[in-house]
């Protein structure tokens, strides 16, 4: 619209100017037309009155002729009349005959083109008609017309011409704008199609003109860069959906190659009951990365850990997923049981896991585990290089299983953009300092272009650790670490869940969920529910939770028989001794508390140790009055966010450990220190008594936050930063090749 105005207005001004400039031409033309009219009119009058005139002149009837002329000049156009005899003497004239016109100089008007005279009376036209009878010239009839009307008419005509021109101009410009816009749109669509390799590009390929392909490629890059330059970057204006993510991938990272590396695979093939089944792990990480992979048809490299995984892959160890509608591929990496024991159970989960989670479980470091960890990291890095089809893919490395991989990939693919996300906490430098291979781990991670953590606290811990352990330049203004000539941006990206949850349509109503869960654990109608959902992990504070429940019944005995806490634990890493011991402790504590407090059909704790499918987990969230997350240390904790997402009825209370990343985003939960048993018991009491209005107020705020800060934002912000980094890298590349060698950073 503004474009149209910008175009039409100057055009109208130009047309107005032209219309003004042609005014004298209009004057001349109209005068010419009117003179011709008046001449015809004069000739007509002369012919009409010829006979009576001849008779009156021949009979010398001057008075009669005077009256005759007077009557004729009553016509408002005919201003004056006269008759001059053959000797050029005035015979008769009306009184209106102007002084400028006399019988003596009539000859100047005979045969004249214009016959115009400017007199005191204004513009006049003088027509002279000879009068003869029987071959004898009697004299000349003078007819003088008032031409002042021509000026009026000319003014009117000029006005009409002006309006006409402006109107026409407006119409023409409007048509031009419409046509231009239509063809621009067509052009843009055509160009976009070309960019996508459709339309124009296809015929080029078909007619085998490879020389045009570089042109199409350059054009494609140009348009993409222009598009991304002009896209608003104000995050407040973005609402994060899978579509936003797709738009970023299309516009900012169009055609870029995306490779994900994680230990857990998104689809696991298992032999079950003589058949091959595909299972999806209930993992926040998988749920977060799937939308990216689906949108960009990338490659996901993961450990092939399913019993039927080998049977499902092709000869390159690849399998297309999702099985129902393949959109990207999984490349499986194999390891021997010894390697898995050393890399996964050993160094990752007995070493790094307890090292990073301050949960008072002593880390175990074995040189043998470290060797396997390093070897498996190299194997995954090789798989990245194998899978890369370009020299500069975007590689998304997930978690503490791959601390060494970024450096190995960087050495092989120096132009790759490597984003590593550390899903667990990063401890303070003193705690990290006990790791025998601390330099190697840090150097490995600093092979990344971007290193992400859930909280600013972990970002600070990492930067402090590097400062303490390595000879690196740490810029605390930009949170950039430069090591070995290359920079790594250390940033905070709090992970979240899908919003709106794609399974929400399948959820039964809250009342139905309550009934089902109550039936399942044999809980009475009038008993309030508490729920905890975790992997059976010592970092989750499950023992502390049970102690808080027991304390509640001691401090507030009114809840005995009126409240049951349901704990769902999925078995995890159960080969590790500490996990086995932990499970025993959890079972024993639940047993002891139930043994002490249970009455009749009522038990204080219902413990279920088995894997629960996501639908079932959400049923628990929807059924409960209180959800209790009591992690002793947790990078984020997605159970808290899932519970909030599940409660579209805006009911239920969340009790949340202050040692989770989620506590920083959800202060409307009841925030507790899980080590403080009395405080946790008080929080349980408060939650069970909380009026529905207050529950609604708190839940609404939390739902608002999770909906906005969802997983698409987590992934989108990392990808946007990667895109910016790549653009900067290209600029530096261009300028360094054009001017002086510049150091390339963070690419
Ligand atoms: C944590 C880790 C993930 C891991 C998950 C499940 O959330 O950050 O990387 O996948 O636990 O653990 P598992 O050992 O079963 O993969």
């Amino acid at each position: 619209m503004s474009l149209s105005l910008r175009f039409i207005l100057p055009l109208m001004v130009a047309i107005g100017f032209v219309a003004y400039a042609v005014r004298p031409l209009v004057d001349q033309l109209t005068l010419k037309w009117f003179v011709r009219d008046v001449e015809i009119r004069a000739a007509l009058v002369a012919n009409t009155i010829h006979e009576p005139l001849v008779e009156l002149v021949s009979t010398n009837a001057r008075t009669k002729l005077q009256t005759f002329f007077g009557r004729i000049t009553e016509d408002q156009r005919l201003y004056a009349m006269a008759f001059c005899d053959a000797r050029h003497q005035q015979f008769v004239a009306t009184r209106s005959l102007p002084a400028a016109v006399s019988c003596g100089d009539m000859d100047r008007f005979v045969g004249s083109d214009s016959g115009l005279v400017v007199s005191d009376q204004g513009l006049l036209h003088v027509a002279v008609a000879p009068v003869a009878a029987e071959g004898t010239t009697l004299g000349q009839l003078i007819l003088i017309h008032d031409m002042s009307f021509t000026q009026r008419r000319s003014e009117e005509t000029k006005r009409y011409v002006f309006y006409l021109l402006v109107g026409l101009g407006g119409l023409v410009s409007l048509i031009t704008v419409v046509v231009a816009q239509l063809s621009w749109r067509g052009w843009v669509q055509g160009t976009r199609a070309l960019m996508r390799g459709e339309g124009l590009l296809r015929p080029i390929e078909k007619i085998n003109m490879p020389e045009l392909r570089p042109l199409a490629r350059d054009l494609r890059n140009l348009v993409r860069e222009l598009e991304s330059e002009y896209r608003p970057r104000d995050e407040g204006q973005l609402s994060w959906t899978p579509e936003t993510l797709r738009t970023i991938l299309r516009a900012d990272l169009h055609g870029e190659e995306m490779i994900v590396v994680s230990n857990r695979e998104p689809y696991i093939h298992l032999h079950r009951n003589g058949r091959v089944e595909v299972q999806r792990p209930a993992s926040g990480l998988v749920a977060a990365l799937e939308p990216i992979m689906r949108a960009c048809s990338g490659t996901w490299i993961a450990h092939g850990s399913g019993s039927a995984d080998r049977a499902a892959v092709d000869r390159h160890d690849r399998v297309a997923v999702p099985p129902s509608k393949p959109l990207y591929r999984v490349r499986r990496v194999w390891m021997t049981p010894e390697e898995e024991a050393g890399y996964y159970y050993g160094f990752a989960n007995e070493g790094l896991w307890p090292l990073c989670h301050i949960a008072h479980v002593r880390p175990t470091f074995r040189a043998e585990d470290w060797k396997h960890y390093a070897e498996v990291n190299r194997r995954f890095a090789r798989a990245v290089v194998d899978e890369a089809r370009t020299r500069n893919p975007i590689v998304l490395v997930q978690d503490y299983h791959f601390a060494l991989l970024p450096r190995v990939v960087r050495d092989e693919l120096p132009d790759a953009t490597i984003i590593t996300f550390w899903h667990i906490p990063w401890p303070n430098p003193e705690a990290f300092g006990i790791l025998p291979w601390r330099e190697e781990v840090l150097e490995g991670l600093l092979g990344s272009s971007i290193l992400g953590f859930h909280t600013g606290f972990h970002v600070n811990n990492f930067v402090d650790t590097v400062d303490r352990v390595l000879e690196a330049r740490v810029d605390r203004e930009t949170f950039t670490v430069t090591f070995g000539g290359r920079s790594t941006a250390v940033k905070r990206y709090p992970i979240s869940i899908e919003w709106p949850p794609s399974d929400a349509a399948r959820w039964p109503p809250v009342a139905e969920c309550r009934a089902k869960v109550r039936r399942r654990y044999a809980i009475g109608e009038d008993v309030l529910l508490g729920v905890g959902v975790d992997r059976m992990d010592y970092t989750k504070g499950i023992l502390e939770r049970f102690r808080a429940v027991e304390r509640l019944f001691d401090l507030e005995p009114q809840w005995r028989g009126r409240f049951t806490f349901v704990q769902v634990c999925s078995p995890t890493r159960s080969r590790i001794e500490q996990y086995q011991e932990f499970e025993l402790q959890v079972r024993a504590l639940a047993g002891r508390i139930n043994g002490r407090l249970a009455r009749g059909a009522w038990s204080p704790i219902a413990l279920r140790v088995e894997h629960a499918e996501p639908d079932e987990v959400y049923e628990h969230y929807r059924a409960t009055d209180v959800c209790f997350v009591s992690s002793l240390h947790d990078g984020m904790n997605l159970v808290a966010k899932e519970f909030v997402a599940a409660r579209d009825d805006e009911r239920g209370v969340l009790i949340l450990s202050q040692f989770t990343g989620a506590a920083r985003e959800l202060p409307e939960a009841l925030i507790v220190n899980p080590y403080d048993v009395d405080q946790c018991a008080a929080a349980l009491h408060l939650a069970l008594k909380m009026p529905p209005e207050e529950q609604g107020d708190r839940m609404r705020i939390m739902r608002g936050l999770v909906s906005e800060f969802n997983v698409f934002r987590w992934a989108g912000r990392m990808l946007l930063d990667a895109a910016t980094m790549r653009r900067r890298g290209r600029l530096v590349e261009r300028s360094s090749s054009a001017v002086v060698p510049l150091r390339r950073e963070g690419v």
Side-chain angles (χ1 to χ4, degrees):
M1 187 61 201
S2 60
L3 175 80
S4 313
L5 274 180
R6 263 182 272 146
F7 178 68
I8 289 174
L9 280 179
L11 199 78
M12 300 282 275
V13 170
I15 287 167
F17 180 74
V18 171
Y20 187 75
V22 300
R23 284 163 66 90
L25 194 69
V26 173
D27 281 340
Q28 273 177 29
L29 273 175
T30 49
L31 190 62
K32 213 168 178 179
W33 289 333
F34 288 127
V35 165
R36 203 168 328 132
D37 276 358
V38 165
E39 277 168 357
I40 293 167
R41 198 168 192 268
L44 195 70
V45 173
N47 279 340
T48 311
I49 65 169
H50 182 259
E51 272 178 33
L53 177 67
V54 169
E55 197 183 326
L56 290 172
V57 170
S58 310
T59 55
N60 202 21
R62 289 179 189 248
T63 318
K64 277 191 180 169
L65 188 57
Q66 181 87 44
T67 314
F68 184 47
F69 277 2
R71 275 218 314 274
I72 295 173
T73 51
E74 272 167 22
D75 174 298
Q76 66 175 157
R77 295 272 170 76
L78 202 53
Y79 180 72
M81 286 180 83
F83 184 75
C84 306
D85 62 19
R87 286 169 289 133
H88 300 295
Q89 296 297 315
Q90 186 175 306
F91 183 73
V92 166
T94 57
R95 268 195 290 278
S96 52
L97 187 72
V101 180
S102 68
C103 286
D105 63 354
M106 269 312 103
D107 286 345
R108 70 183 163 114
F109 296 114
V110 178
S112 146
D113 265 345
S114 83
L116 291 172
V117 171
V118 182
S119 73
D120 296 342
Q121 287 75 27
L123 188 66
L124 299 172
H125 178 268
V126 182
V128 180
V131 180
E134 292 162 8
T136 316
T137 300
L138 295 180
Q140 289 166 315
L141 176 66
I142 317 294
L143 294 154
I144 298 175
H145 277 88
D146 178 2
M147 296 297 280
S148 59
F149 77 96
T150 60
Q151 270 160 330
R152 278 197 315 276
R153 289 283 166 85
S154 182
E155 282 310 322
E156 274 170 26
T157 311
K158 276 188 288 192
R159 222 173 19 250
Y160 290 138
V161 167
F162 179 81
Y163 291 151
L164 187 75
L165 275 177
V166 170
L168 264 177
L171 194 70
V172 167
S173 48
L174 214 67
I175 292 170
T176 314
V177 167
V178 170
V179 170
Q181 290 224 343
L182 286 178
S183 24
W184 168 253
R185 228 173 270 165
W187 190 86
V188 167
Q189 274 165 9
T191 311
R192 286 218 174 114
L194 182 72
M195 300 306 104
R196 290 193 299 266
E198 297 164 7
L200 291 173
L201 197 59
R202 246 180 236 147
I204 287 172
E205 282 163 356
K206 268 192 189 151
I207 58 174
N208 198 17
M209 293 173 76
E211 65 276 16
L212 288 186
R213 279 183 210 140
L215 175 70
R217 200 176 46 238
D218 285 354
L219 205 56
R220 210 178 288 163
N221 290 339
L222 180 72
V223 170
R224 219 180 299 133
E225 287 203 358
L226 282 175
E227 277 187 353
S228 54
E229 284 308 318
Y230 293 102
R231 184 155 334 98
R233 282 285 173 272
D234 181 358
E235 255 201 37
Q237 292 176 2
L238 281 183
S239 103
W240 291 95
T241 61
E243 190 44 44
T244 321
L245 207 54
R246 272 193 287 273
T247 309
I248 290 171
L249 289 166
R250 260 199 314 266
D252 292 70
L253 294 164
H254 179 87
E256 308 285 23
E257 197 184 357
M258 202 76 68
I259 300 175
V260 166
V261 186
S262 75
N263 177 66
R264 270 286 156 242
E265 50 186 345
Y267 293 87
I268 308 172
H269 288 80
L270 295 166
H271 286 303
R272 269 209 192 132
N273 309 324
R275 287 198 355 234
V276 172
E277 266 181 28
V278 181
Q279 198 189 62
R280 305 223 33 215
S283 149
L285 182 152
V286 169
L289 294 168
E290 258 261 302
I292 306 182
M293 297 314 275
R294 284 172 184 254
C296 68
S297 311
T299 306
W300 188 320
I301 302 173
H303 173 208
S305 58
S307 51
D309 273 356
R310 279 184 196 266
V313 294
D314 64 13
R315 64 196 173 90
H316 301 290
D317 298 327
R318 296 177 189 139
V319 56
V321 291
S324 51
K325 186 188 175 212
L327 289 169
Y328 66 97
R329 55 195 180 160
V330 168
R331 157 80 190 271
R332 286 177 173 148
V333 174
W334 316 109
M335 52 187 97
T336 62
E338 296 74 41
E339 283 169 340
E340 191 181 358
Y343 142 82
Y344 171 76
Y345 290 106
F347 190 73
N349 286 315
E350 285 188 270
L352 287 177
W353 180 267
L355 176 75
C356 292
H357 289 90
I358 313 294
H360 312 287
V361 169
R362 206 185 147 118
T364 306
F365 302 119
R366 300 180 197 97
E368 193 61 11
D369 292 348
W370 169 251
K371 202 183 84 200
H372 286 307
Y373 183 84
E375 173 49 32
V376 170
N377 268 248
R378 277 195 293 274
R379 186 170 313 153
F380 272 79
R382 248 192 328 273
V384 172
V385 178
D386 280 357
E387 293 300 325
R389 278 165 285 131
T390 55
R391 63 175 181 84
N392 60 347
I394 296 175
V395 187
L396 297 164
V397 184
Q398 305 303 311
D399 231 346
Y400 59 100
H401 309 93
F402 298 112
L404 304 180
L405 177 138
R407 170 69 48 204
V408 186
V409 173
R410 168 68 64 226
D411 291 344
E412 295 287 327
L413 298 170
D415 296 326
T417 303
I418 305 172
I419 307 174
T420 303
F421 194 81
W422 196 261
H423 289 258
I424 63 174
W426 189 274
N428 63 47
E430 288 74 25
F432 186 80
I434 66 168
L435 174 65
W437 302 280
R438 54 189 174 275
E439 285 93 351
E440 287 89 331
V441 166
L442 290 176
E443 284 173 21
L445 285 171
L446 290 175
S448 316
S449 319
I450 298 175
L451 177 58
F453 296 95
H454 291 301
T455 68
F457 189 64
H458 300 148
V459 167
N460 283 323
N461 277 351
F462 179 80
V463 169
D464 289 348
T465 309
V466 171
D467 217 3
R468 192 78 65 88
V469 176
L470 292 184
E471 286 292 320
R473 184 157 58 85
V474 173
D475 183 340
R476 286 175 190 272
E477 183 75 20
T478 56
F479 279 90
T480 310
V481 176
T482 307
F483 179 74
R486 296 196 78 111
S487 297
T488 301
V490 187
K491 297 192 133 201
R492 170 180 170 263
Y493 303 101
I495 202 170
S496 191
I497 57 164
E498 188 188 20
W499 192 285
S502 53
D503 295 339
R506 286 211 307 263
W507 296 340
V510 165
E512 201 180 303
C513 294
R514 291 175 84 92
K516 265 174 106 172
V517 171
R518 280 205 161 79
R519 250 196 326 272
R520 176 178 189 119
Y521 301 98
I523 295 170
E525 281 287 313
D526 51 348
V527 175
L528 294 182
L529 281 184
V531 154
V533 180
D534 306 82
R535 285 183 304 106
M536 184 67 95
D537 195 298
Y538 53 80
T539 61
K540 299 297 178 184
I542 300 167
L543 297 173
E544 287 70 11
R545 202 175 302 170
F546 287 178
R547 286 190 199 112
V549 171
E550 183 182 30
R551 188 81 175 134
L552 169 79
F553 293 122
D554 289 342
L555 292 175
E556 303 286 346
Q558 84 254 27
W559 292 116
R560 294 187 187 189
R562 291 182 50 219
F563 171 61
T564 292
F565 192 82
V566 175
Q567 176 64 46
V568 181
C569 282
S570 44
T572 182
R573 306 169 194 170
S574 25
R575 263 200 243 169
I576 298 174
E577 210 183 304
Q578 283 140 338
Y579 281 79
Q580 293 164 5
E581 272 172 24
F582 181 69
E583 186 179 331
L584 291 177
Q585 286 172 18
V586 168
R587 286 182 186 276
L589 184 60
R592 185 184 66 68
I593 295 170
N594 283 342
R596 185 167 85 85
L597 297 171
R599 259 194 339 221
W602 173 80
S603 303
I605 294 173
L607 174 63
R608 177 178 162 202
V609 183
E610 67 179 357
H611 172 78
E613 288 298 321
D615 279 355
E616 235 189 304
V617 169
Y618 273 84
E619 230 166 62
H620 284 70
Y621 292 145
R622 282 166 76 72
T624 195
D625 298 290
V626 184
C627 176
F628 196 172
V629 174
S630 54
S631 308
L632 304 180
H633 205 181
D634 218 330
M636 174 53 70
N637 192 287
L638 292 181
V639 167
K641 293 187 175 180
E642 285 171 2
F643 169 63
V644 167
R647 298 315 294 259
D648 49 10
D649 62 337
E650 297 175 351
R651 288 289 178 278
V653 182
L654 174 64
I655 302 178
L656 182 57
S657 159
Q658 68 186 77
F659 305 119
T660 59
R664 284 148 217 265
E665 293 182 72
L666 301 172
E668 292 74 25
L670 300 180
I671 305 293
V672 295
N673 172 359
Y675 293 96
D676 185 340
V677 66
D678 284 349
Q679 189 197 43
C680 291
L684 275 169
H685 180 60
L686 193 68
L688 294 172
K689 283 194 326 183
M690 189 180 286
E693 302 73 45
E694 187 180 341
Q695 294 181 26
D697 290 345
R698 288 173 184 264
M699 191 53 87
R700 255 190 305 282
I701 298 178
M702 293 193 286
R703 286 174 64 81
L705 183 123
V706 179
S707 72
E708 206 179 314
F709 289 69
N710 57 30
V711 73
F712 307 114
R713 179 178 186 273
W714 173 76
R717 282 194 50 228
M718 282 194 293
L719 293 178
L720 278 178
D721 287 344
T724 307
M725 205 168 246
R726 286 162 85 87
R727 266 203 300 280
R728 287 200 185 125
R730 278 198 289 270
L731 270 180
V732 171
E733 226 168 63
R734 258 182 252 157
S735 48
S736 57
S737 61
V739 200
V740 282
L742 294 174
R743 193 178 35 167
R744 198 176 50 208
E745 292 187 339
V747 185

